[in-house]
């Protein structure tokens, strides 16, 4: 299974670069990275088991670095891996007081 994400700052209408992201399966840290200039982060190309996974985005430090007060110090997206051979792309649309996500392609 491969996992990637794309974070967009929905207030500015731009990619959110520089956000730390961690990928977990249960309590096990599988991978970590930082969103690039385009707001993208490919976390793993390694195979992993089916089951529940979490992406944890360090949004608090990212907003603080921009001098923006925000409600969510981190965003945790929990998703089910049903087909370990498939690519899983999990985008995050981010604002200081809201966020949204979906299963990407």
């Amino acid at each position: 299974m491969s996992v990637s994400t794309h974070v967009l700052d929905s207030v500015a209408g731009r990619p959110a670069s520089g956000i730390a992201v961690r990928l977990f399966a249960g309590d096990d840290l599988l991978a970590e990275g930082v969103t690039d200039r385009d707001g993208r982060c490919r976390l793993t190309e390694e195979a992993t088991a089916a089951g529940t996974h979490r992406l944890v985005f360090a949004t608090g430090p990212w907003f603080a670095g921009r001098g923006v007060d925000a409600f969510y110090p981190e965003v945790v997206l929990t998703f089910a891996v049903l087909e370990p051979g498939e690519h899983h792309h999990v985008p995050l649309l981010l604002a200081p007081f809201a966020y949204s996500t979906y299963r990407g392609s």
Side-chain angles (χ1 to χ4, degrees):
M1 173 197 79
S2 59
V3 176
S4 63
T5 189
H6 186 197
V7 184
L8 297 171
D9 178 341
S10 62
V11 173
R14 299 175 183 226
S17 64
I19 295 180
V21 185
R22 294 175 290 154
L23 172 66
F24 291 89
D27 291 329
D28 297 329
L29 177 64
L30 300 181
E32 55 190 330
V34 176
T35 57
D36 65 14
R37 183 177 174 172
D38 194 36
R40 297 179 184 275
C41 184
R42 184 170 284 278
L43 289 150
T44 184
E45 296 290 341
E46 302 296 318
T48 189
T52 303
H53 290 68
R54 289 178 291 128
L55 285 172
V56 180
F57 298 83
T59 54
W62 184 80
F63 279 119
R66 285 154 181 71
V68 174
D69 290 333
F71 187 67
Y72 300 102
E74 68 178 17
V75 171
V76 179
L77 303 180
T78 304
F79 60 100
V81 173
L82 303 176
E83 297 291 334
E86 290 184 7
H87 176 67
H88 292 73
H89 183 67
V90 186
L92 175 64
L93 305 174
L94 186 60
F97 298 95
Y99 65 88
S100 179
T101 187
Y102 57 94
R103 168 85 192 257
S105 58

